[in-house]
Amino acid sequence: QTKDPKIALSLARSGILPFFILTCVVVYLWGKNIGGENFGLAALAIFSFTPTILAISGVATTDMALCSTVTTSVYIYWRWLLKRSLGLTVLLGIFVGLSILSKLSAIIFLPVALLALYVGNRFVTRSDLTTKERKAPVVHHWVSAAIVIFLIVWSGYRFSFESINIHIPESMLSL
């Protein structure tokens, strides 16, 4: 801990940068998967120079963490729709759990984004109707992902069975 506010602010802001870097990597990979190397670089340039992204990447808030983990979750889900695997299922569970931990509003964003991606994949491209592998039952994948999500969120709360109020000092509760 530091008592110098400038150092504390710099440290807090530097904690957001890994989320920006992760999102840049995901945007590049997603673009590269869709349209090749140049498309990935163009997507990365557009994303990384967007004023809103630059703004939330330089301040110590949870907005970039949410942006990063939701974007990564949606990308992993897109990859999972193309080729289901236990590894992608676990990764999806990890990043959905991290999304929820970064900001509870992810509970609203993620279902909408994942449903839109599913509908686009299913009804627009009809790509999930072409291979036998994609027709296999997916219940075990969803159960696995749900278990991982639960464990990630629970670990964020230190595997506690107690109410949140138990960790708050009595002096704070009277405010």
Side-chain angles (χ1 to χ4, degrees), residues 12-21 23-24 47-48 50-61 63-65 67:
R13 287 179 174 170
S14 66
I16 300 302
L17 289 178
F19 292 107
F20 173 71
I21 293 167
T23 313
C24 285
F47 172 78
S48 60
T50 302
T52 306
I53 297 302
L54 291 173
I56 66 173
S57 297
V59 293
T61 64
D63 294 335
M64 192 64 214
C67 174

Side-chain angles (χ1 to χ4, degrees), residues 121-175:
N121 187 61
R122 171 97 176 151
F123 296 109
V124 175
T125 66
R126 300 223 181 255
S127 65
D128 69 337
L129 302 176
T130 58
T131 63
K132 202 194 269 187
E133 179 184 86
R134 293 190 195 128
K135 293 181 182 179
V138 297
V139 173
H140 65 283
H141 287 284
W142 287 114
V143 170
S144 300
I147 290 169
V148 172
I149 292 166
F150 172 76
L151 290 173
I152 292 294
V153 172
W154 191 27
S155 71
Y157 290 97
R158 300 180 183 170
F159 300 104
S160 177
F161 286 104
E162 300 168 347
S163 69
I164 281 186
N165 292 349
I166 201 80
H167 300 293
I168 300 173
E170 289 293 324
S171 61
M172 296 294 288
L173 290 175
S174 64
L175 296 177

Side-chain angles (χ1 to χ4, degrees), residues 11-157:
L11 289 173
R13 287 179 174 170
S14 66
I16 300 302
L17 289 178
F19 292 107
F20 173 71
I21 293 167
L22 172 65
T23 313
C24 285
V25 169
V26 169
V27 167
Y28 168 75
L29 290 174
W30 204 341
K32 183 180 174 187
N33 287 346
I34 291 173
E37 184 86 22
N38 290 336
F39 194 84
L41 290 172
L44 174 60
I46 291 168
F47 172 78
S48 60
F49 291 114
T50 302
T52 306
I53 297 302
L54 291 173
I56 66 173
S57 297
V59 293
T61 64
T62 59
D63 294 335
M64 192 64 214
L66 177 69
C67 174
S68 179
T69 54
V70 167
T71 302
T72 305
S73 297
V74 174
Y75 172 67
I76 293 169
Y77 180 67
W78 177 72
R79 297 289 309 261
W80 183 85
L81 284 174
L82 298 176
K83 182 174 172 58
R84 293 184 188 130
S85 72
L86 183 59
L88 286 174
T89 301
V90 170
L91 271 176
L92 179 63
I94 289 170
F95 277 97
V96 168
L98 291 174
S99 297
I100 293 168
L101 281 176
S102 67
K103 204 168 195 178
L104 280 176
S105 57
I107 293 173
I108 297 168
F109 297 137
L110 276 171
V112 172
L114 299 182
L115 180 64
L117 194 57
Y118 175 79
V119 168
N121 187 61
R122 171 97 176 151
F123 296 109
V124 175
T125 66
R126 300 223 181 255
S127 65
D128 69 337
L129 302 176
T130 58
T131 63
K132 202 194 269 187
E133 179 184 86
R134 293 190 195 128
K135 293 181 182 179
V138 297
V139 173
H140 65 283
H141 287 284
W142 287 114
V143 170
S144 300
I147 290 169
V148 172
I149 292 166
F150 172 76
L151 290 173
I152 292 294
V153 172
W154 191 27
S155 71
Y157 290 97

